[in-house]
Amino acid sequence: MSAHPTNTHVASPPRENGQTPTADGLSAGLKNRHLSMIAIGGVIGAGLFVGSASGIAAAGPGILLSYALVGAMVVFVMRMLGEMAAARPTSGSFSAYADRALGRWAGFSIGWLYWFFWVVVLAVEATAGAKILESWVPAVPQWGWALIVMVVLTATNLASVSSYGEFEFWFAGIKVVAIAGFIVIGALAVFGILPGSGHEAVGLTHLTGHGGFLPNGPGAILTGILMVVFSFMGSEIVTLAAGESEDPRRAVTRATNSVIWRIGVFYLGSILVVVSLLRWDDPAIKEKGSYVAALDAIGIPHAGQIMNVIVLTAVLSCLNSGLYTASRMAFSLGRRGDAPAAFARTNSRGVPQAAILGSVVFGFAAVFFNYQWPDTVFLFLLNSSGAVALFVWLVICFTQLKMRPILLRESPDKLVVRMWLFPYLTWATIAMISFVLVYMLTDAAGRDQVILSALVAALVVAISLVRDRLRANTRHTLTKP
């Protein structure tokens, strides 16, 4: 393991807002309710609302198995990450742990790749939100709405970490209430006991009728996995945010322990309602989207507009969290000497202003590329960051394999969360993620994402190794008699 550089963190002045600075120099401004909603909201992305229709069309009711398999994979990854984050809470999360366990090249590489992933997501989500807003207020052009959304959420993140937490609390709260309501209303309709609905009781017949549970064969489960895996990205955000809470160990422990029911209820529960209410091959699912089609089927008026509001909330939540996540990763990289030193500084409110502005500038550039060159430059950015989520999960697995002995040796009392069946389940998770990456090579869109993401990852790793070699040579030259 390489020697760790001296942190470039500059001590923060006393907080204007009265909040206690953390060991990183950030403000401990996130309350328990903020962390709870960030944990729940992190697993409910816009992809759940928008992307599930394609998965249902490809796999039929068997899409439930696709969601269950990916959900299990995410639960295992979060358990591993929770083990490390509860013991060593930090704003750099898995990048900082990879730095310690695998070497500086790993922390540098996965940190910058994760940052790159989220700044590209900023452009995707800003454009998606702008499309919805333009449909409501066409007087403002789509690019204008994208600009407004980015500026407002940048200002929110610059104000204070508690502003981010408050916004995310309400965004996530709307998503949670919406899905919980959808599951309850849909379940009542499935059994024909929804008051005022003319929907006939269908029970679970749609799960096995119309070609059976796997109408397109078992192979469709794997196709479904490729379609749903990226809708789970974001579950790890809570481990970064915990570093800015008053009791990070407790926050991480609670979030890790609750990830099973969160995925079970919000993903499997809501999709089960959709495929129970409607035939999997109902044309309305692809035409309107799975949730709108289900709401229409049970006679909920203005279902499309209701879902647009919910999707917009999910988009704004993702934007808000994406900007926060990218800036905190840049801040952590700066502290470790792997990013400009300015990124490691916080202002009087405990906010890493330079890291936020640096991240949002790239985000604004990506939005511009999306409007100017959507099929060339932006498509390249999209594909070259597409498989980064899976790379991050792989690195978390390998890091946990190395970190467990370190934690047992240095601070066994802090191992309050432990990965189950270590190391066997860790290796099984590595095998699952690797299989998904290899299987993506058989899919046209997936192949482009894996190859381009791998090339970008190789470039970042090469830069890291060259930097390490240059630093080692410089140190050797300076220490020569």
Side-chain angles (χ1 to χ4, degrees):
M1 194 184 306
S2 345
H4 206 290
T6 304
N7 285 343
T8 57
H9 173 64
V10 177
S12 302
R15 299 284 178 259
E16 290 177 351
N17 50 19
Q19 290 168 356
T20 308
T22 67
D24 287 345
L26 300 166
S27 276
L30 293 176
K31 299 180 172 64
N32 284 333
R33 65 184 179 88
H34 294 152
L35 265 294
S36 296
M37 278 301 179
I38 289 169
I40 294 172
V43 298
I44 310 173
L48 173 60
F49 301 107
V50 180
S52 54
S54 300
I56 293 170
I63 194 66
L64 288 166
L65 294 179
S66 303
Y67 273 107
L69 288 169
V70 177
M73 195 162 70
V74 172
V75 166
F76 298 152
V77 170
M78 279 299 295
R79 188 76 188 179
M80 289 180 247
L81 184 53
E83 174 180 297
M84 297 181 287
R88 302 276 176 87
T90 174
S91 61
S93 188
F94 51 84
S95 172
Y97 309 141
D99 193 309
R100 173 75 197 277
L102 304 177
R104 291 210 52 212
W105 66 272
F108 175 96
S109 303
I110 208 63
W112 277 115
L113 285 171
Y114 193 67
W115 177 88
F116 174 56
F117 172 85
W118 279 110
V119 292
V120 173
V121 166
L122 291 181
V124 175
E125 301 296 343
T127 305
K131 284 179 181 175
I132 295 173
L133 290 165
E134 187 194 28
S135 71
W136 294 342
V137 187
V140 179
Q142 196 180 113
W143 66 265
W145 279 120
L147 184 65
I148 290 168
V149 164
M150 289 281 282
V151 168
V152 168
L153 292 179
T154 300
T156 300
N157 275 267
L158 284 172
S160 67
V161 69
S162 58
S163 302
Y164 156 72
E166 202 61 35
F167 265 70
E168 194 55 28
F169 176 81
W170 291 106
F171 286 153
I174 291 170
K175 291 189 291 186
V176 169
V177 169
I179 292 192
F182 174 81
I183 292 171
V184 171
I185 292 170
L188 291 174
V190 166
F191 296 102
I193 53 177
L194 181 66
S197 171
H199 193 272
E200 61 178 9
V202 291
L204 302 178
T205 56
H206 284 160
L207 294 180
T208 53
H210 317 292
F213 187 71
L214 295 171
N216 297 326
I221 297 171
L222 298 177
T223 305
I225 284 175
L226 298 190
M227 293 180 169
V228 307
V229 66
F230 298 108
S231 64
F232 284 85
M233 191 61 177
S235 52
E236 68 290 329
I237 290 174
V238 68
T239 63
L240 282 87
E244 291 180 79
S245 68
E246 293 174 358
D247 190 354
R249 185 165 290 112
R250 179 169 172 265
V252 168
T253 303
R254 287 181 61 185
T256 304
N257 290 336
S258 65
V259 72
I260 297 175
W261 73 258
R262 286 187 275 129
I263 289 174
V265 170
F266 297 122
Y267 278 86
L268 293 175
S270 62
I271 297 298
L272 176 61
V273 166
V274 171
V275 294
S276 297
L277 271 175
L278 300 166
R279 291 173 44 167
W280 70 271
D281 55 354
D282 190 322
I285 293 179
K286 288 205 80 172
E287 290 167 11
K288 303 175 182 178
S290 49
Y291 290 84
V292 173
L295 291 172
D296 275 344
I298 56 181
I300 303 294
H302 312 296
Q305 286 305 320
I306 292 171
M307 194 50 60
N308 270 342
V309 171
I310 296 167
V311 170
L312 179 63
T313 303
V315 163
L316 294 177
S317 171
C318 191
L319 256 174
N320 194 37
S321 291
L323 182 52
Y324 171 84
T325 305
S327 65
R328 282 351 184 239
M329 188 56 74
F331 170 79
S332 177
L333 288 164
R335 275 179 54 84
R336 287 177 274 141
D338 290 334
F343 284 5
R345 299 191 183 100
T346 56
N347 61 18
S348 58
R349 297 183 302 279
V351 173
Q353 190 169 293
I356 291 173
L357 293 175
S359 300
V360 85
V361 163
F362 195 97
F364 275 119
V367 171
F368 173 75
F369 293 148
N370 196 8
Y371 285 107
Q372 194 66 29
W373 301 292
D375 299 322
T376 51
V377 178
F378 187 70
L379 185 62
F380 170 78
L381 290 177
L382 207 57
N383 283 332
S384 59
S385 65
V388 165
L390 293 167
F391 294 166
V392 167
W393 293 346
L394 264 183
V395 168
I396 290 171
C397 295
F398 283 111
T399 301
Q400 191 259 342
L401 282 173
K402 294 280 189 180
M403 275 296 285
R404 169 69 75 87
I406 294 172
L407 293 173
L408 283 173
R409 184 174 66 249
E410 296 180 356
S411 46
D413 56 308
K414 293 181 179 177
L415 269 172
V416 291
V417 176
R418 292 189 182 227
M419 178 58 180
W420 308 296
L421 299 176
F422 178 83
Y424 308 109
L425 201 47
T426 301
W427 280 111
T429 309
I430 289 170
M432 290 167 69
I433 298 169
S434 302
F435 176 80
V436 172
L437 283 167
V438 171
Y439 191 74
M440 283 177 72
L441 294 172
T442 67
D443 176 75
R447 188 183 307 117
D448 289 344
Q449 290 184 9
V450 171
I451 292 172
L452 288 176
S453 296
L455 287 173
V456 169
L459 176 63
V460 174
V461 170
I463 291 170
S464 173
L465 294 174
V466 169
R467 285 176 77 255
D468 282 354
R469 177 61 62 86
L470 291 174
R471 282 179 172 175
N473 289 342
T474 303
R475 282 197 301 270
H476 180 69
T477 303
L478 291 174
T479 55
K480 268 174 109 174

